[in-house]
Amino acid sequence: DSGVTQTPKHLITATGQRVTLRCSPRSGDLSVYWYQQSLDQGLQFLIQYYNGEERAKGNILERFSAQQFPDLHSELNLSSLELGDSALYFCASSVTSSVPYNEQFFGPGTRLTVL
Amino acid sequence: QQQVKQSPQSLIVQKGGISIINCAYENTAFDYFPWYQQFPGKGPALLIAIRPDVSEKKEGRFTISFNKSAKQFSLHIMDSQPGDSATYFCAARTTSGTYKYIFGTGTRLKVLA
């Protein structure tokens, strides 16, 4: 158990809908990362937050947004869902983004299925 | 371009054999190269990592070899076991701006008993 929790574990929804994925980082970790994992794309970095502020952006679509709250949990919002958004979404956390060689700890993921 | 190319996509090895997974990168602004192991239904977990000032790192049966001039690094699993069957991802961490990780596309390893 990495100490990172993600809810829900599974999510099934329809095209055009909006969903929210939640992540609680390990105790003491200030940095949260979101990744999308699909069969043919591997792990794609979406976005990173550090202590409530956005730090880095990857291949995140405009229909997706995220935030990190004062208690350090983070939410990833996916809107106007398309079939191609079906994937595993992972959250990872680390102590900080600036310490060299800091390890990222991954949560168990949320499996999103868009029908 | 920030990209990490990983091969092979899948690998079948006999128990006791050596599993070798390769990764190559183009961007020189990477400063940390971790390998992650992922079992079905689980998130990736850090297996072993190397810094570019080191050519080899060994932890138990797992070894990373790093060739800075060729911009390549590889994971060797010695005495492969059925319990090693998992998907392995290499990654590289960027130093430009803020730290973020670029992952390879993964290698699905199956070790036959």
Side-chain angles (χ1 to χ4, degrees):
Chain A
D1 183 5
S2 67
V4 179
T5 60
Q6 289 187 249
T7 57
K9 193 169 183 177
H10 300 281
L11 199 49
I12 301 174
T13 188
T15 54
Q17 294 299 304
R18 172 189 169 95
V19 297
T20 297
L21 313 183
R22 182 188 170 102
C23 168
S24 293
R26 292 188 323 151
S27 177
D29 284 0
L30 299 177
S31 202
V32 169
Y33 308 77
W34 285 98
Y35 293 88
Q36 181 190 56
Q37 184 179 40
S38 52
L39 279 174
D40 58 347
Q41 294 283 326
L43 271 166
Q44 297 288 315
F45 168 69
L46 295 178
I47 196 165
Q48 178 204 353
Y49 278 81
Y50 174 72
N51 204 20
E53 294 187 2
E54 182 184 306
R55 271 296 174 90
K57 258 187 176 180
N59 302 321
I60 188 166
L61 300 173
E62 285 190 11
R63 300 183 285 109
F64 296 0
S65 65
Q67 54 184 329
Q68 186 179 27
F69 296 86
D71 67 352
L72 300 177
H73 90 271
S74 179
E75 293 181 356
L76 179 67
N77 301 294
L78 315 176
S79 62
S80 303
L81 285 167
E82 302 175 358
L83 296 177
D85 298 327
S86 296
L88 268 169
Y89 291 85
F90 286 103
C91 167
S93 73
S94 65
V95 172
T96 175
S97 63
S98 60
V99 173
Y101 320 124
N102 58 304
E103 179 180 350
Q104 287 190 24
F105 294 86
F106 282 80
T110 292
R111 181 174 292 279
L112 173 66
T113 302
V114 182
L115 301 176
Chain B
Q1 184 180 2
Q2 296 182 341
Q3 190 175 5
V4 177
K5 295 181 180 179
Q6 183 173 347
S7 63
Q9 192 172 15
S10 62
L11 183 60
I12 300 175
V13 174
Q14 294 288 337
K15 179 182 175 181
I18 302 173
S19 305
I20 302 174
I21 305 171
N22 300 299
C23 285
Y25 63 96
E26 297 176 353
N27 188 343
T28 56
F30 290 142
D31 72 340
Y32 181 58
F33 300 87
W35 283 88
Y36 286 84
Q37 180 187 55
Q38 183 181 26
F39 292 105
K42 304 288 186 182
L46 180 66
L47 182 64
I48 186 173
I50 197 167
R51 302 194 311 261
D53 55 345
V54 176
S55 62
E56 184 175 285
K57 183 174 182 181
K58 184 176 181 179
E59 289 184 1
R61 296 184 294 107
F62 301 91
T63 300
I64 300 179
S65 297
F66 187 84
N67 186 329
K68 190 173 182 177
S69 61
K71 298 180 186 176
Q72 295 175 347
F73 57 110
S74 59
L75 175 70
H76 291 65
I77 306 175
M78 311 301 288
D79 188 26
S80 299
Q81 299 296 314
D84 298 330
S85 298
T87 299
Y88 293 81
F89 292 93
C90 63
R93 191 180 71 166
T94 67
T95 59
S96 54
T98 186
Y99 294 114
K100 61 182 181 182
Y101 289 82
I102 309 298
F103 283 79
T105 49
T107 295
R108 185 170 293 183
L109 171 66
K110 183 170 185 177
V111 181
L112 301 177

